[in-house]
Amino acid sequence: MKLLTYGYAVLVLLISLTAWAKEPVKDIAVSEAWVRATHTGQQTGAAYMKIISQKNAELVKVETPVAKRAEIHSMEMKESIMVMREVDSIALPAANEILLAPGGYHIMLMNLKQPLNAGEKVPLKLSFKLGNEMIEMDVEANVRKN
């Protein structure tokens, strides 16, 4: 009788784990989002943040109401010259923190509609590709001087 009860408990546990494993993991966390303050007349800005995904994913698009366009960019040194270019996406390998920071990956805010002042917040809509799914996340970035 005890063996039957034990076997039943193990079976229930295995079924539960199997059901849990089949659920798509959509847990993408964004932290420390910030935007550099701009000056009157400045047409571009930049946003930075930390992103971690529990499964392989990609950041594929960013939108914001404070600029006409937001682009995903990379920066790297090539022959002692800093080169910035737009990229289609940023790979987010599972369980690895990806840092968008000055001198590396970042979000360019193009054709700003107004100056971005320290203390304000900038809404960003991030779009991620996770397998065949698209996931959108709203993030508020703090505007700061540097």
Side-chain angles (χ1 to χ4, degrees):
M1 182 69 174
K2 285 185 181 182
L3 185 57
L4 239 161
T5 304
Y6 178 76
Y8 179 73
V10 169
L11 180 62
V12 168
L13 178 62
L14 287 174
I15 290 170
S16 298
L17 289 174
T18 302
W20 175 77
K22 289 181 182 177
E23 289 292 318
V25 177
K26 298 179 185 177
D27 190 23
I28 297 174
V30 175
S31 63
E32 300 177 38
W34 67 282
V35 174
R36 190 181 307 271
T38 62
H39 301 287
T40 302
Q42 187 174 337
Q43 292 296 302
T44 60
Y48 311 100
M49 63 199 70
K50 290 181 183 179
I51 305 172
I52 189 165
S53 176
Q54 296 305 311
K55 286 191 173 185
N56 291 334
E58 293 177 85
L59 173 64
V60 295
K61 184 177 177 184
V62 181
E63 299 174 273
T64 181
V66 303
K68 288 186 181 174
R69 197 170 73 244
E71 298 176 352
I72 304 168
H73 280 212
S74 70
M75 286 185 81
E76 61 183 327
M77 290 295 289
K78 285 194 177 180
E79 299 177 18
S80 72
I81 297 172
M82 185 63 84
V83 177
M84 179 174 62
R85 66 182 176 90
E86 184 178 8
V87 295
D88 292 330
S89 64
I90 298 175
L92 306 171
N96 286 293
E97 182 178 87
I98 301 300
L99 182 63
L100 279 64
Y105 285 119
H106 59 280
I107 308 300
M108 285 298 298
L109 308 175
M110 314 292 281
N111 298 355
L112 291 171
K113 297 177 181 177
Q114 74 245 359
L116 305 175
N117 301 305
E120 296 176 343
K121 298 211 182 276
V122 171
L124 301 168
K125 180 176 283 194
L126 308 178
S127 297
F128 299 95
K129 185 176 180 187
L130 181 61
N132 293 327
E133 281 189 84
M134 290 298 294
I135 299 167
E136 291 183 343
M137 178 185 294
D138 292 318
V139 173
E140 276 195 339
N142 296 311
V143 180
R144 56 187 217 202
K145 289 185 180 183
N146 57 4

